[in-house]
Amino acid sequence: MMVQEKLKSLRKEKGISQENMAKILGTDTSNYSRKERGEVRIFDDEWEKLAKTLEVPIDEIKVENAKISFQYDNSTFQDHAGSNINYSNIPDFFIETQKKYIDKLEKEIEGLRKENETLRLKIK
């Protein structure tokens, strides 16, 4: 059984609606539904809440290194298994990660510019 199916099955077995699970995670029902289907990342703190609510160990339901693909500007990306998966939105965590990486690169570039200027002054 796939992890997403197990999560859904356990939730139904416990008689918990997607709406209630969404409230437990502090999100809306639509977003929870995407999480349950594996389309949106479930963060560590959310895995803890899910496991506690479903009364199971985290490792019984948690997906490690989820493979997420998306469609953007009519481009299809492949997941690691080579399957084309199209999603209508770029996940928020992906955008956040990219912004953090861009910030890091900009700081490195600024440091290299300063170092470059220092070396130029030494040569003159």
Side-chain angles (χ1 to χ4, degrees):
M1 179 181 288
M2 292 184 61
V3 175
Q4 290 85 2
E5 292 171 9
K6 185 160 192 169
L7 186 58
K8 182 177 180 178
S9 175
L10 282 169
R11 177 183 57 77
K12 287 184 172 187
E13 184 180 303
K14 298 285 183 180
I16 304 170
S17 68
Q18 284 189 334
E19 183 179 15
N20 286 340
M21 288 299 265
K23 287 178 184 176
I24 290 166
L25 296 184
T27 189
D28 58 70
T29 306
S30 174
N31 190 44
Y32 174 77
S33 178
R34 289 192 303 273
K35 288 177 182 286
E36 191 173 78
R37 290 192 309 267
E39 296 173 359
V40 177
R41 180 177 177 204
I42 300 173
F43 294 92
D44 288 341
D45 63 317
E46 294 173 324
W47 282 117
E48 290 173 19
K49 291 175 185 176
L50 291 170
K52 184 177 179 180
T53 301
L54 297 171
E55 300 172 325
V56 296
I58 292 175
D59 60 353
E60 190 173 318
I61 58 171
K62 185 175 179 181
V63 177
E64 293 290 338
N65 300 322
K67 300 170 187 170
I68 296 180
S69 300
F70 55 89
Q71 182 176 0
Y72 181 70
D73 288 341
N74 297 323
S75 299
T76 301
F77 293 83
Q78 289 189 335
D79 69 8
H80 297 283
S83 303
N84 289 331
I85 300 175
N86 299 318
Y87 297 173
S88 59
N89 298 352
I90 297 175
D92 289 340
F93 79 89
F94 183 82
I95 293 171
E96 291 167 18
T97 301
Q98 293 303 304
K99 285 180 182 177
K100 288 178 185 176
Y101 186 63
I102 289 168
D103 289 343
K104 178 184 176 202
L105 291 175
E106 286 174 345
K107 287 177 185 174
E108 287 180 21
I109 289 169
E110 186 58 34
L112 290 171
R113 282 188 181 140
K114 288 178 182 177
E115 182 180 346
N116 192 10
E117 186 60 31
T118 302
L119 292 172
R120 279 189 194 160
L121 292 173
K122 286 182 180 178
I123 292 174
K124 292 182 179 181

